[in-house]
Amino acid sequence: MTKAKTEGQETVLRFLGGTADDYDLIVAESTGGLDSHWKRWILDRMENPREVLDLASGTGILSFAVLDRFPESRVTGVDLQEAYQAVAVGRSEQRGLTERTEWHRSAVEDVELPDGRYDHIITCYLPKYADRIVLAERLARWCAPGGQLFLHDFAHPSDPKVERVLHERYVRWLEKMERERPYWVPCFEGLYEFVRQSPWTEDLPPLLEKHGFENVEVTHVHKGCAAFVTGRKPA
């Protein structure tokens, strides 16, 4: 664990603390089912992965999707939250996948992993929280020659009309949660503004290029409400 938490790490713990049992449902309902679409976007572009690093792996939704799609793959998951990781570990044991999985409870900025090991590094919902200067440097260290990056997170739409509709839906979602599942409210209070202010799609690509990644691209999806940053380490 980090000795002095970054603002992003503090935000993660504030937003997501105490939600491990419901996290999969929260992600599915709050995104209107788009979370599974975004994860398939990554899966469909992976190239015969063998050693996969899943950052902010949470309860293992994406990790297990990789293991199911690619029988020869092995996944290392890193997550800050102990309760989330406990869910992932339990699922790994229940499904007989302990030999194909490895779990680290740590902030991404602090975890110690082998250099040059991973042919695919993937993540959902990490970039907006991470110290991206540190993240880019570590991705360059951990990624194997020829390896690929798939970094996904929420983004803020540039179209004012889309932004207005998105904000209205966000407000209605909060009101619904206050009525039906008040313990979910901390997951979303402040999230809209946090995403709106995050420059992750602007500042992360040049940092990756600085550390030698090639073919770095930003792909916005669903009218700019989410994005992927992709790249490849030279072989």
Side-chain angles (χ1 to χ4, degrees), residues 30-77:
S30 65
T31 64
L34 289 175
D35 176 73
S36 61
H37 175 91
W38 294 331
K39 287 178 169 58
R40 284 196 302 273
W41 193 99
I42 294 174
L43 293 169
D44 290 346
R45 289 161 176 78
M46 297 176 76
E47 300 174 358
N48 191 30
R50 295 305 178 110
E51 287 287 347
V52 180
L53 175 59
D54 184 5
L55 300 174
S57 50
T59 59
I61 301 173
L62 182 55
S63 295
F64 292 111
V66 170
L67 294 166
D68 289 342
R69 174 80 74 95
F70 304 103
E72 300 301 318
S73 65
R74 186 176 184 279
V75 175
T76 297

Coordinates of all heavy atoms in Angstrom, one line a residue, residues 30-77:
S30 N -25.3 1.2 -13.8 CA -25.0 2.6 -13.9 C -24.6 2.9 -15.3 O -24.7 4.1 -15.7 CB -23.9 3.0 -12.9 OG -22.7 2.3 -13.2
T31 N -24.1 2.0 -16.1 CA -23.7 2.2 -17.4 C -24.7 1.8 -18.5 O -24.5 1.9 -19.7 CB -22.3 1.5 -17.8 OG1 -22.5 0.1 -17.7 CG2 -21.2 1.9 -16.8
G32 N -25.9 1.4 -18.0 CA -26.9 0.9 -18.9 C -26.5 -0.3 -19.7 O -26.9 -0.4 -20.9
G33 N -25.6 -1.1 -19.2 CA -25.1 -2.3 -19.9 C -23.9 -2.0 -20.8 O -23.4 -3.0 -21.4
L34 N -23.5 -0.8 -20.9 CA -22.3 -0.5 -21.7 C -21.0 -1.0 -21.2 O -20.1 -1.2 -22.0 CB -22.2 1.1 -21.9 CG -23.3 1.7 -22.8 CD1 -23.2 3.2 -22.8 CD2 -23.3 1.1 -24.2
D35 N -20.9 -1.2 -19.9 CA -19.7 -1.8 -19.4 C -19.2 -3.0 -20.1 O -18.1 -3.2 -20.5 CB -19.8 -2.0 -17.9 CG -18.5 -2.6 -17.3 OD1 -17.5 -1.9 -17.2 OD2 -18.6 -3.8 -17.0
S36 N -20.2 -3.9 -20.3 CA -19.8 -5.2 -21.0 C -19.4 -4.9 -22.5 O -18.5 -5.6 -23.0 CB -21.0 -6.2 -21.0 OG -22.2 -5.6 -21.6
H37 N -20.0 -3.9 -23.1 CA -19.7 -3.6 -24.5 C -18.2 -3.1 -24.5 O -17.4 -3.4 -25.4 CB -20.6 -2.5 -25.0 CG -20.2 -2.0 -26.3 ND1 -20.7 -2.5 -27.5 CD2 -19.4 -1.0 -26.7 CE1 -20.2 -1.9 -28.5 NE2 -19.4 -0.9 -28.1
W38 N -17.9 -2.2 -23.5 CA -16.5 -1.6 -23.5 C -15.5 -2.7 -23.2 O -14.4 -2.7 -23.8 CB -16.5 -0.5 -22.4 CG -17.3 0.6 -22.8 CD1 -17.7 1.1 -24.0 CD2 -18.0 1.5 -21.8 NE1 -18.5 2.2 -23.9 CE2 -18.7 2.5 -22.6 CE3 -18.1 1.6 -20.4 CZ2 -19.5 3.5 -22.0 CZ3 -18.8 2.6 -19.8 CH2 -19.5 3.5 -20.6
K39 N -15.8 -3.6 -22.4 CA -14.9 -4.7 -22.1 C -14.7 -5.6 -23.4 O -13.6 -6.1 -23.7 CB -15.3 -5.5 -20.9 CG -15.1 -4.8 -19.6 CD -15.6 -5.5 -18.4 CE -15.1 -4.9 -17.1 NZ -15.5 -3.5 -16.9
R40 N -15.8 -5.9 -24.1 CA -15.7 -6.6 -25.3 C -14.8 -5.9 -26.4 O -14.1 -6.5 -27.2 CB -17.1 -6.9 -25.9 CG -17.8 -8.0 -25.2 CD -19.0 -8.6 -26.0 NE -19.9 -7.5 -26.4 CZ -20.9 -7.1 -25.6 NH1 -21.1 -7.7 -24.5 NH2 -21.7 -6.2 -26.0
W41 N -14.9 -4.6 -26.4 CA -14.1 -3.8 -27.3 C -12.6 -4.1 -27.1 O -11.8 -4.3 -28.0 CB -14.3 -2.3 -27.0 CG -13.8 -1.3 -28.0 CD1 -14.5 -0.7 -29.0 CD2 -12.4 -0.8 -28.1 NE1 -13.7 0.1 -29.8 CE2 -12.4 0.1 -29.3 CE3 -11.2 -1.0 -27.4 CZ2 -11.2 0.7 -29.6 CZ3 -10.1 -0.4 -27.8 CH2 -10.1 0.5 -28.9
I42 N -12.2 -4.2 -25.8 CA -10.8 -4.6 -25.5 C -10.5 -6.1 -25.9 O -9.5 -6.4 -26.6 CB -10.5 -4.4 -24.0 CG1 -10.6 -2.9 -23.6 CG2 -9.1 -5.0 -23.6 CD1 -10.4 -2.7 -22.1
L43 N -11.4 -7.0 -25.5 CA -11.2 -8.4 -25.8 C -11.1 -8.7 -27.3 O -10.3 -9.5 -27.7 CB -12.4 -9.2 -25.2 CG -12.5 -9.2 -23.7 CD1 -13.8 -9.8 -23.3 CD2 -11.4 -10.0 -23.1
D44 N -11.9 -8.0 -28.1 CA -11.9 -8.2 -29.5 C -10.6 -7.8 -30.2 O -10.4 -8.2 -31.3 CB -13.1 -7.5 -30.2 CG -14.4 -8.1 -29.8 OD1 -14.4 -9.2 -29.3 OD2 -15.5 -7.5 -30.0
R45 N -9.8 -7.0 -29.5 CA -8.6 -6.4 -30.1 C -7.3 -7.0 -29.5 O -6.2 -6.7 -30.0 CB -8.6 -4.9 -30.0 CG -9.6 -4.2 -30.9 CD -10.0 -2.8 -30.5 NE -10.9 -2.2 -31.4 CZ -12.2 -2.5 -31.5 NH1 -12.7 -3.3 -30.6 NH2 -13.0 -1.9 -32.4
M46 N -7.4 -7.9 -28.6 CA -6.3 -8.5 -28.0 C -5.8 -9.6 -29.0 O -6.5 -10.3 -29.6 CB -6.6 -9.1 -26.6 CG -7.0 -8.1 -25.6 SD -7.6 -8.8 -24.0 CE -6.0 -9.2 -23.3
E47 N -4.4 -9.8 -29.0 CA -3.8 -10.6 -30.0 C -3.1 -11.8 -29.3 O -2.0 -11.7 -28.8 CB -2.8 -9.9 -30.8 CG -3.4 -8.7 -31.6 CD -2.3 -7.8 -32.3 OE1 -1.1 -8.1 -32.1 OE2 -2.7 -6.9 -32.9
N48 N -3.8 -12.9 -29.1 CA -3.3 -14.1 -28.5 C -2.5 -13.9 -27.2 O -1.3 -14.2 -27.1 CB -2.4 -14.8 -29.5 CG -2.0 -16.2 -29.1 OD1 -2.8 -16.9 -28.4 ND2 -0.8 -16.7 -29.5
P49 N -3.2 -13.3 -26.3 CA -2.5 -12.9 -25.0 C -2.0 -14.1 -24.2 O -2.7 -15.1 -24.2 CB -3.5 -12.1 -24.3 CG -4.8 -12.6 -24.7 CD -4.6 -12.9 -26.2
R50 N -0.9 -14.0 -23.6 CA -0.3 -15.0 -22.8 C -0.1 -14.5 -21.3 O -0.6 -15.1 -20.4 CB 1.0 -15.5 -23.3 CG 0.9 -16.2 -24.7 CD -0.1 -17.4 -24.6 NE -0.2 -18.0 -25.9 CZ 0.2 -19.3 -26.2 NH1 0.8 -20.0 -25.3 NH2 0.0 -19.8 -27.4
E51 N 0.5 -13.4 -21.2 CA 0.7 -12.8 -19.9 C 0.0 -11.4 -19.9 O 0.4 -10.5 -20.5 CB 2.2 -12.6 -19.6 CG 2.9 -13.9 -19.2 CD 2.5 -14.4 -17.9 OE1 1.9 -13.7 -17.1 OE2 2.9 -15.6 -17.6
V52 N -1.1 -11.3 -19.2 CA -1.9 -10.1 -19.2 C -1.9 -9.5 -17.8 O -2.0 -10.1 -16.8 CB -3.4 -10.5 -19.5 CG1 -4.3 -9.2 -19.5 CG2 -3.5 -11.2 -20.9
L53 N -1.7 -8.1 -17.8 CA -1.8 -7.4 -16.6 C -3.1 -6.5 -16.6 O -3.3 -5.7 -17.5 CB -0.6 -6.5 -16.5 CG -0.5 -5.5 -15.3 CD1 -0.5 -6.2 -13.9 CD2 0.8 -4.6 -15.4
D54 N -3.9 -6.7 -15.6 CA -5.2 -6.0 -15.5 C -5.1 -5.1 -14.3 O -5.0 -5.5 -13.1 CB -6.3 -7.0 -15.2 CG -7.7 -6.3 -15.2 OD1 -7.8 -5.1 -15.4 OD2 -8.7 -7.0 -14.9
L55 N -4.9 -3.8 -14.6 CA -4.8 -2.8 -13.5 C -6.1 -2.3 -13.1 O -7.0 -2.0 -13.9 CB -3.9 -1.6 -14.1 CG -2.5 -2.0 -14.5 CD1 -1.8 -0.8 -15.2 CD2 -1.7 -2.5 -13.3
A56 N -6.3 -2.1 -11.8 CA -7.6 -1.7 -11.2 C -8.6 -2.9 -11.5 O -9.7 -2.7 -12.0 CB -8.1 -0.4 -11.6
S57 N -8.1 -4.1 -11.2 CA -8.9 -5.3 -11.7 C -10.2 -5.5 -10.9 O -11.0 -6.3 -11.3 CB -8.0 -6.5 -11.5 OG -7.4 -6.6 -10.2
G58 N -10.3 -4.8 -9.8 CA -11.6 -4.9 -9.0 C -12.0 -6.3 -8.7 O -11.2 -7.1 -8.2
T59 N -13.3 -6.7 -8.9 CA -13.8 -8.0 -8.6 C -13.4 -9.0 -9.7 O -13.8 -10.2 -9.6 CB -15.3 -8.0 -8.4 OG1 -15.9 -7.5 -9.6 CG2 -15.7 -7.1 -7.3
G60 N -12.7 -8.6 -10.7 CA -12.2 -9.5 -11.7 C -13.1 -9.6 -12.9 O -12.9 -10.6 -13.7
I61 N -14.0 -8.7 -13.2 CA -14.9 -8.8 -14.3 C -14.1 -9.0 -15.6 O -14.3 -9.9 -16.4 CB -15.8 -7.6 -14.4 CG1 -16.7 -7.5 -13.2 CG2 -16.7 -7.8 -15.6 CD1 -17.5 -6.2 -13.1
L62 N -13.2 -8.1 -15.9 CA -12.4 -8.1 -17.1 C -11.4 -9.3 -17.1 O -11.2 -9.9 -18.1 CB -11.7 -6.8 -17.4 CG -10.9 -6.7 -18.7 CD1 -11.7 -7.0 -19.9 CD2 -10.3 -5.3 -18.8
S63 N -10.8 -9.5 -15.9 CA -9.8 -10.6 -15.8 C -10.4 -11.9 -16.2 O -9.8 -12.7 -17.0 CB -9.3 -10.6 -14.4 OG -8.6 -9.5 -14.0
F64 N -11.5 -12.2 -15.7 CA -12.1 -13.5 -16.0 C -12.6 -13.6 -17.4 O -12.7 -14.7 -18.0 CB -13.2 -13.9 -14.9 CG -12.6 -14.1 -13.6 CD1 -12.9 -13.2 -12.5 CD2 -11.8 -15.2 -13.3 CE1 -12.3 -13.4 -11.3 CE2 -11.3 -15.4 -12.1 CZ -11.5 -14.5 -11.0
A65 N -13.0 -12.5 -17.9 CA -13.4 -12.5 -19.3 C -12.3 -12.8 -20.2 O -12.4 -13.5 -21.2 CB -14.0 -11.1 -19.7
V66 N -11.1 -12.3 -19.9 CA -9.9 -12.7 -20.6 C -9.6 -14.1 -20.5 O -9.3 -14.8 -21.5 CB -8.7 -11.8 -20.1 CG1 -7.3 -12.3 -20.7 CG2 -8.8 -10.4 -20.5
L67 N -9.6 -14.7 -19.3 CA -9.3 -16.1 -19.0 C -10.3 -17.0 -19.8 O -9.9 -18.0 -20.3 CB -9.4 -16.4 -17.5 CG -8.3 -15.7 -16.7 CD1 -8.6 -15.7 -15.2 CD2 -6.9 -16.3 -16.9
D68 N -11.5 -16.6 -19.9 CA -12.5 -17.4 -20.6 C -12.3 -17.3 -22.1 O -12.4 -18.3 -22.8 CB -13.9 -16.9 -20.3 CG -14.4 -17.2 -18.9 OD1 -13.8 -18.1 -18.2 OD2 -15.3 -16.5 -18.4
R69 N -12.0 -16.2 -22.6 CA -11.8 -16.0 -24.1 C -10.5 -16.6 -24.6 O -10.5 -17.2 -25.7 CB -11.8 -14.5 -24.4 CG -11.5 -14.1 -25.9 CD -12.7 -14.3 -26.8 NE -13.7 -13.2 -26.6 CZ -13.8 -12.1 -27.3 NH1 -12.9 -11.9 -28.3 NH2 -14.7 -11.2 -27.1
F70 N -9.5 -16.6 -23.7 CA -8.2 -17.0 -24.2 C -7.6 -18.1 -23.2 O -7.0 -17.8 -22.2 CB -7.2 -15.8 -24.2 CG -7.7 -14.7 -25.1 CD1 -8.2 -13.5 -24.6 CD2 -7.6 -14.8 -26.5 CE1 -8.7 -12.5 -25.4 CE2 -8.0 -13.8 -27.3 CZ -8.6 -12.6 -26.8
P71 N -7.9 -19.3 -23.5 CA -7.5 -20.4 -22.6 C -6.0 -20.5 -22.3 O -5.7 -21.1 -21.2 CB -8.0 -21.7 -23.3 CG -9.0 -21.2 -24.3 CD -8.6 -19.8 -24.7
E72 N -5.2 -20.0 -23.1 CA -3.7 -20.1 -22.9 C -3.2 -18.9 -22.1 O -2.0 -18.8 -21.8 CB -3.0 -20.1 -24.2 CG -3.3 -21.3 -25.1 CD -3.1 -22.7 -24.4 OE1 -2.0 -22.8 -23.7 OE2 -3.9 -23.6 -24.5
S73 N -4.1 -18.0 -21.7 CA -3.7 -16.7 -21.0 C -3.5 -16.9 -19.5 O -4.1 -17.8 -18.9 CB -4.7 -15.6 -21.3 OG -5.9 -15.9 -20.7
R74 N -2.7 -16.0 -19.0 CA -2.6 -15.9 -17.5 C -2.7 -14.5 -17.2 O -2.2 -13.6 -17.9 CB -1.2 -16.4 -17.1 CG -0.9 -16.5 -15.6 CD 0.4 -17.1 -15.3 NE 0.6 -17.3 -13.9 CZ 1.0 -16.3 -13.0 NH1 1.2 -15.1 -13.5 NH2 1.2 -16.6 -11.8
V75 N -3.4 -14.2 -16.0 CA -3.8 -12.8 -15.7 C -3.2 -12.4 -14.3 O -3.4 -13.2 -13.4 CB -5.3 -12.5 -15.7 CG1 -5.6 -11.1 -15.2 CG2 -5.8 -12.8 -17.1
T76 N -2.6 -11.3 -14.3 CA -2.2 -10.7 -13.0 C -3.0 -9.5 -12.8 O -3.1 -8.6 -13.6 CB -0.7 -10.3 -13.0 OG1 0.1 -11.4 -13.2 CG2 -0.3 -9.6 -11.7
G77 N -3.8 -9.5 -11.6 CA -4.6 -8.4 -11.3 C -4.1 -7.5 -10.2 O -3.5 -8.1 -9.2

